[in-house]
Amino acid sequence: DGGITQSPKYLFRKEGQNVTLSCEQNLNHDAMYWYRQDPGQGLRLIYYSQIVNDFQKGDIAEGYSVSREKKESFPLTVTSAQKNPTAFYLCASTWGQGINPNSPLHFGNGTRLTVT
Amino acid sequence: QQQVKQSPQSLIVQKGGISIINCAYENTAFDYFPWYQQFPGKGPALLIAIRPDVSEKKEGRFTISFNKSAKQFSLHIMDSQPGDSATYFCASKGSNYQLIWGAGTKLIIKP
């Protein structure tokens, strides 16, 4: 089955450590996205990538970094500079040129990161 | 920053009843309005979506009503079932790669 795989499902880190969240898709989608979800808030865009070797900042990119070396992979690094990193992180993808009725966002099942 | 205002924050409906969730947007240039359904511990999944050139779209028990002049759209779930218990998010397309999301509505259907 095609889909997006996020791993691990739960991640625990000590404050001050960088941590990398994995996102892999086998949908052959061109664009990939990282969102952050906090209780009582809508999803907030961290970074997105339209094509390999290119990515753009979203609304809350500070303290995060990404890479897109392969079409199917878009890892997110939460750095120690991120002031409040504990959250549910969602990876998504779309086919073609962005979000539209023929290419809706398709999400993975998320990684819950807890930093203490 | 552009916003999408979603209400209510939480909603309890009896089995068989109608669940209604409302959203209001600000920018008349938005041209795509999806609703996503999210179960605990899972990612959101597209439920139904509408473009502003139609006033209503129905898929099974789920209907979107769209009021362009009022800049509002709503999700109606007919004959609500316990399996519909989830968090629902409305969104508006802000740009090619950006959706602007409502804060979510936690829906509980009581048996």
Side-chain angles (χ1 to χ4, degrees), chain A residues 50-89:
Chain A
Q50 300 174 45
I51 56 171
V52 173
N53 293 323
D54 182 63
F55 47 83
Q56 307 295 329
K57 291 182 179 180
D59 296 323
I60 57 165
E62 185 175 350
Y64 300 98
S65 65
V66 294
S67 62
R68 186 89 186 275
E69 297 176 1
K70 299 186 297 181
K71 185 176 183 178
E72 55 271 19
S73 179
F74 191 41
L76 173 74
T77 296
V78 184
T79 76
S80 56
Q82 168 51 233
K83 292 184 175 15
N84 185 19
T86 295
F88 189 50
Y89 290 89

Side-chain angles (χ1 to χ4, degrees), chain A:
Chain A
D1 279 341
I4 296 178
T5 301
Q6 291 189 242
S7 61
K9 190 168 180 65
Y10 300 96
L11 194 51
F12 298 88
R13 280 293 183 270
K14 294 289 188 185
E15 195 173 314
Q17 294 178 336
N18 291 355
V19 59
T20 298
L21 282 59
S22 170
C23 177
E24 302 278 332
Q25 56 100 357
N26 61 4
L27 299 166
N28 199 32
H29 283 178
D30 298 296
M32 297 186 74
Y33 310 74
W34 273 105
Y35 284 92
R36 172 180 171 137
Q37 185 174 27
D38 295 284
Q41 297 190 37
L43 280 65
R44 292 184 290 170
L45 184 64
I46 304 172
Y47 270 97
Y48 67 94
S49 168
Q50 300 174 45
I51 56 171
V52 173
N53 293 323
D54 182 63
F55 47 83
Q56 307 295 329
K57 291 182 179 180
D59 296 323
I60 57 165
E62 185 175 350
Y64 300 98
S65 65
V66 294
S67 62
R68 186 89 186 275
E69 297 176 1
K70 299 186 297 181
K71 185 176 183 178
E72 55 271 19
S73 179
F74 191 41
L76 173 74
T77 296
V78 184
T79 76
S80 56
Q82 168 51 233
K83 292 184 175 15
N84 185 19
T86 295
F88 189 50
Y89 290 89
L90 288 158
C91 180
S93 66
T94 55
W95 175 83
Q97 298 301 308
I99 302 166
N100 58 71
N102 296 318
S103 182
L105 277 171
H106 185 98
F107 285 91
N109 281 327
T111 291
R112 187 166 299 278
L113 173 65
T114 302
V115 176
T116 58

Side-chain angles (χ1 to χ4, degrees), chain B residues 40-80:
Chain B
K42 302 292 186 182
L46 179 67
L47 185 63
I48 188 172
I50 198 168
R51 297 191 69 144
D53 52 349
V54 298
S55 59
E56 185 175 281
K57 183 175 181 180
K58 184 175 181 179
E59 290 184 0
R61 296 184 294 107
F62 300 91
T63 300
I64 299 178
S65 297
F66 189 84
N67 186 331
K68 190 173 182 178
S69 60
K71 293 188 284 186
Q72 295 176 347
F73 58 111
S74 60
L75 176 69
H76 296 235
I77 306 174
M78 312 300 286
D79 186 26
S80 299

